Amino acid sequence: MAGRALLIGECMVELRQAGDGLMRKGFAGDTFNTAFYLRSLLPEAWPVDYFSAVGTDTISDEMLTFIEGTGVGTGFIRRLPERSPGLYMIHLKDGERSFSYWRSASAARLLADDASALRAAIDASKLIFFSGITLAILAPEALATLLAEVGRAKAAGKLVAFDPNIRPRLWDDADRMRRAISDGAAVSSMVMPSFEDEATHFGDASVDATIARYIGLGVSKLVVKDGAAGITLDFDGERCFVPSAQAEKIIDTTGAGDSFNGAFLANYLQTADHLKAAAFAANVAAAVIGHHGALVGRSELDVPVA
């Protein structure tokens, strides 16, 4: 059964190392990266759209052209004068990355200010995906609007997937961050956390503790990513484990989690088999980290079709 996938968040201008002190410009961001891999791995019968906001400047024009070139729909992206996309720079050391950000004037911070546009996009979609970064960039009133509309989608039986993707530097208060992440999970039917983040910021002593906490918030489907230690899933109370895939080489881990999310959802939407989806996603993520940048084209990934 086909449908429409809607991913909500911020696409940014990406600057990454190109050698000899030079930087290469691209466009990426956690939920857009997931949209990219969803579009790459889903059949055309599944439209994939991005919900965000950009400016009316030249770099916004370039971003929209790039997004459209990936096959991801831009019809739900609003254009706001006097705003522009955010920008980040990747710093790499031994395959691990750190970031510098410039996003105070980002148009995406206003993505949920138009509640009617948000509702129309969600109503047109079967899958909705958002992240903790999506929550972090919004003002309190806009955050409440997003959670209310996503909650409506969950109540209507749509698949609402959420990656907490905890980035404390984006929040002005750790308690508010934890409340918002918990509120985001509570309006979701599937949560896809990284255990390292959950242990660090929620104090979870084990993957089981992370799963129990999210089940307590009303989440029925959990996909807990724990790096090389593998993936633990709990779907409607059934617990299972899938090992991680061995990466042939590690060049850049920037897109690992996002590619896993997109590959998992692409496979799960087609098969309804969470074990197969997790194994497929692990292979995709292992292939992605063998390349530079967050976005690796389908033709460059030596993995089977979803």
Side-chain angles (χ1 to χ4, degrees):
M1 183 182 297
R4 181 179 296 275
L6 181 73
L7 296 94
I8 303 172
E10 179 182 28
C11 185
M12 303 179 71
V13 180
E14 176 191 81
L15 296 179
R16 56 188 173 93
Q17 298 174 31
D20 297 325
L22 301 176
M23 306 297 293
R24 179 174 288 113
K25 180 185 72 176
F27 300 100
D30 69 331
T31 54
F32 173 72
N33 300 347
T34 299
F36 174 88
Y37 288 104
L38 255 181
R39 177 64 284 151
S40 297
L41 298 168
L42 276 175
E44 290 301 318
W46 271 91
V48 176
D49 290 299
Y50 200 57
F51 186 93
S52 190
V54 299
T56 56
D57 54 352
T58 299
I59 196 66
S60 295
D61 292 340
E62 292 180 7
M63 178 179 286
L64 289 177
T65 298
F66 173 79
I67 293 174
E68 290 166 356
T70 69
V72 174
T74 61
F76 294 124
I77 298 180
R78 296 164 56 224
R79 305 206 68 174
L80 306 176
E82 309 303 325
R83 289 276 178 163
S84 61
L87 179 148
Y88 72 95
M89 182 183 297
I90 302 173
H91 311 280
L92 281 174
K93 183 178 181 181
D94 300 327
E96 292 299 325
R97 79 278 194 214
S98 60
F99 302 92
S100 296
Y101 291 96
W102 296 265
R103 70 196 322 165
S104 59
S106 170
R109 288 183 173 273
L110 308 181
L111 66 84
D113 284 20
D114 187 334
S116 61
L118 178 61
R119 177 171 292 192
I122 289 175
D123 283 350
S125 307
K126 184 176 180 179
L127 163 70
I128 296 91
F129 179 89
F130 66 113
S131 77
I133 293 178
T134 310
L135 304 182
I137 66 173
L138 301 180
E141 184 175 345
L143 174 57
T145 297
L146 176 63
L147 293 175
E149 293 303 323
V150 171
R152 286 182 63 253
K154 179 183 179 181
K158 297 176 185 286
L159 177 59
V160 177
F162 173 60
D163 182 348
N165 210 358
I166 302 172
R167 297 293 180 266
R169 65 186 296 176
L170 297 179
W171 299 88
D172 56 11
D173 179 82
D175 288 336
R176 191 172 80 86
M177 175 186 74
R178 285 186 285 268
R179 286 195 301 271
I181 294 295
S182 298
D183 290 344
V187 297
S188 303
S189 44
M190 179 187 294
V191 175
M192 310 177 75
S194 297
F195 176 64
E196 182 179 0
D197 287 348
E198 305 298 318
T200 299
H201 301 292
F202 283 92
D204 294 342
S206 65
V207 169
D208 287 344
T210 295
I211 290 173
R213 178 166 51 82
Y214 282 118
I215 288 176
L217 293 170
V219 181
S220 59
K221 298 175 176 61
L222 270 299
V223 184
V224 183
K225 299 161 284 186
D226 193 12
I231 307 105
T232 303
L233 304 99
D234 191 298
F235 273 50
D236 303 308
E238 178 185 340
R239 192 75 51 91
C240 54
F241 175 81
V242 173
S244 61
Q246 182 66 41
E248 292 186 7
K249 56 184 176 179
I250 299 176
I251 292 177
D252 183 355
T253 60
T254 302
D258 303 330
S259 63
F260 179 95
N261 291 344
F264 180 94
L265 291 168
N267 192 282
Y268 182 72
L269 289 171
Q270 296 174 78
T271 67
D273 186 325
H274 51 282
L275 283 172
K276 288 182 179 178
F280 175 75
N283 284 322
V284 169
V288 165
I289 63 176
H291 297 77
H292 286 287
L295 307 179
V296 181
R298 178 71 182 84
S299 62
E300 299 178 72
L301 298 177
D302 185 19
V303 294
V305 176

